[in-house]
Amino acid sequence: MSADTAPRPWYRHVLRDELGVVLVLAVLVGVVGLAHPDFLRPINLLSTAQSSVYVGLMACGMVFPLAMREVDLSLGGQYALGIVLGAVLIRDGWSPWLALPAILVVATVLGCLNGAITTYLRLPSFIVTLAAALLFRGAALALADGKQISGMPLDHAFFTVLGGELAGVPTSVWVLLVATIALTVVFTRTRFGARVRAVGSNPDAAEFSGLPIARTRIAALGLSGFMGGVAAVLGLAFFTAGDPTVGNGYELTAIAACIIGGTPLAGGRGSVPGAMLGNLILTTVAASLVFLQVPINWTTFATGAVILVAVAFDSVLRRTRGHGLFPRSRRNHETHPGPDPDHVPDAERLR
């Protein structure tokens, strides 16, 4: 095997694809830290990381449907429903450890239903999941009777462990890191991930090749729902109450995080670590605005500006990659014209 055809080491792939968002995040933290050194205090950085967990988990799961040219707009409503469902079960006498799998199962089933309706009724996932978002949030409001559910057993290990700290770091941050690693492996190193990329790259060719498109689409949206359920479990453990109004706009932030991290709406490729880092950028922006004393009326404007700058910077870095920090060999480019072979796998291997 020649040097040009040998597979690239995993660290070159990670550095190459996520370099843009890493640099944006580092510059952002550095600039705010220079202006306000208190921003760099460990307690503040950990608090910022904690705040990024819930949307970060959703963004990691959102990579899969986006890579298939689908979208899941129901995650915010699903997050609220999961938190309320768990709070209701615990209030009615369930052990919190039993409520946890109940939330995950319900979230996964709802995600699969989104995929099944999208697939078999041939409806756009945009419309299906938008309607589902309203249904889920309405169900959460009905279950909670329009008010917050409190009275949780705060001394239970579910709340002290999942809502507390492990080795000085919030447990939810550890969960986000583990989920990011696990989903990165699933997306880049498994047959399911290869199918997702193949379908997103060319749906017609994938269908002609006999790939299980329906099953893959349902599984991708089911995985997205599962990650919304994980976020709901951690949200319930941390906030210790069931609030049916939480999660508004989370799905749009998750989509923005994915795009910032290098997952295009055109499908065919994606980056789970990039989505996590993209969301961390957005969370850092929100936290830094407080330190910079930006008027709250300008918060949304500033966040939108940072999204545009981050996407533009990463796009420029990707376009110049052929002669930049991690150049691709000319021979490899000539041998594999068109899409990157990492993102368009051989269909025969995926059946």
Side-chain angles (χ1 to χ4, degrees):
M1 181 179 291
S2 67
D4 288 332
T5 59
R8 292 185 299 273
W10 66 270
Y11 58 84
R12 287 176 65 88
H13 176 76
V14 171
L15 289 175
R16 188 196 72 206
D17 286 350
E18 277 70 52
L19 181 61
V21 284
V22 169
L23 290 178
V24 170
L25 179 60
V27 169
L28 178 62
V29 172
V31 169
V32 179
L34 287 175
H36 290 274
D38 285 346
F39 183 77
L40 299 179
R41 293 174 59 190
I43 188 172
N44 180 69
L45 294 179
L46 287 175
S47 177
T48 302
Q50 163 73 43
S51 300
S52 74
V53 165
Y54 313 109
V55 177
L57 289 167
M58 297 180 196
C60 290
M62 185 78 78
V63 168
F64 289 80
L66 286 180
M68 289 191 67
R69 306 188 187 184
E70 306 292 346
V71 67
D72 189 351
L73 296 179
S74 68
L75 282 176
Q78 196 171 99
Y79 174 73
L81 177 58
I83 287 181
V84 169
L85 175 63
V88 168
L89 293 177
I90 295 172
R91 182 195 63 186
D92 291 347
W94 282 46
S95 166
W97 295 123
L98 292 178
L100 186 156
I103 295 172
L104 296 181
V105 169
V106 169
T108 304
V109 169
L110 292 178
C112 290
L113 283 176
N114 284 337
I117 294 172
T118 297
T119 300
Y120 295 116
L121 295 186
R122 297 185 179 275
L123 295 174
S125 58
F126 179 91
I127 298 298
V128 172
T129 57
L130 178 61
L134 300 176
L135 290 173
F136 297 160
R137 191 164 293 280
L141 287 168
L143 277 175
D145 198 22
K147 55 189 178 183
Q148 189 178 83
I149 300 174
S150 56
M152 301 291 104
L154 302 184
D155 57 344
H156 193 279
F158 175 86
F159 297 98
T160 59
V161 174
L162 293 183
E165 295 183 352
L166 181 63
V169 176
T171 304
S172 58
V173 174
W174 290 115
V175 174
L176 176 60
L177 291 175
V178 171
T180 300
I181 294 171
L183 291 182
T184 298
V185 172
V186 171
F187 189 76
T188 61
R189 293 290 183 263
T190 67
R191 182 173 296 182
F192 169 64
R195 286 173 176 171
V196 167
R197 301 195 307 276
V199 173
S201 296
N202 193 328
D204 293 334
E207 184 174 8
F208 181 78
S209 300
L211 296 184
I213 295 179
R215 190 166 70 239
T216 303
R217 181 179 292 115
I218 293 172
L221 284 166
L223 178 58
S224 178
F226 173 80
M227 295 308 297
V230 174
V233 168
L234 295 175
L236 176 60
F238 182 77
F239 297 111
T240 67
D243 187 349
T245 64
V246 298
N248 281 314
Y250 279 16
E251 62 284 337
L252 299 180
T253 305
I255 293 171
C258 290
I259 295 173
I260 290 174
T263 301
L265 294 176
R269 61 186 176 89
S271 171
V272 175
M276 186 271 290
L277 292 168
N279 179 65
L280 193 55
I281 288 174
L282 296 178
T283 307
T284 302
V285 169
S288 64
L289 293 177
V290 177
F291 280 84
L292 297 176
Q293 297 182 341
V294 175
I296 192 170
N297 293 335
W298 287 91
T299 299
T300 303
F301 176 87
T303 303
V306 169
I307 292 174
L308 288 177
V309 171
V311 171
F313 180 81
D314 185 63
S315 177
V316 170
L317 189 68
R318 289 173 186 275
R319 286 201 302 270
T320 60
R321 188 173 295 145
H323 48 78
L325 295 174
F326 300 99
R328 296 177 179 174
S329 66
R330 183 184 302 275
R331 181 176 176 183
N332 185 61
H333 179 72
E334 292 173 352
T335 305
H336 302 283
D340 189 334
D342 285 344
H343 300 298
V344 187
D346 181 3
E348 287 294 329
R349 293 188 297 108
L350 308 181
R351 291 181 184 173

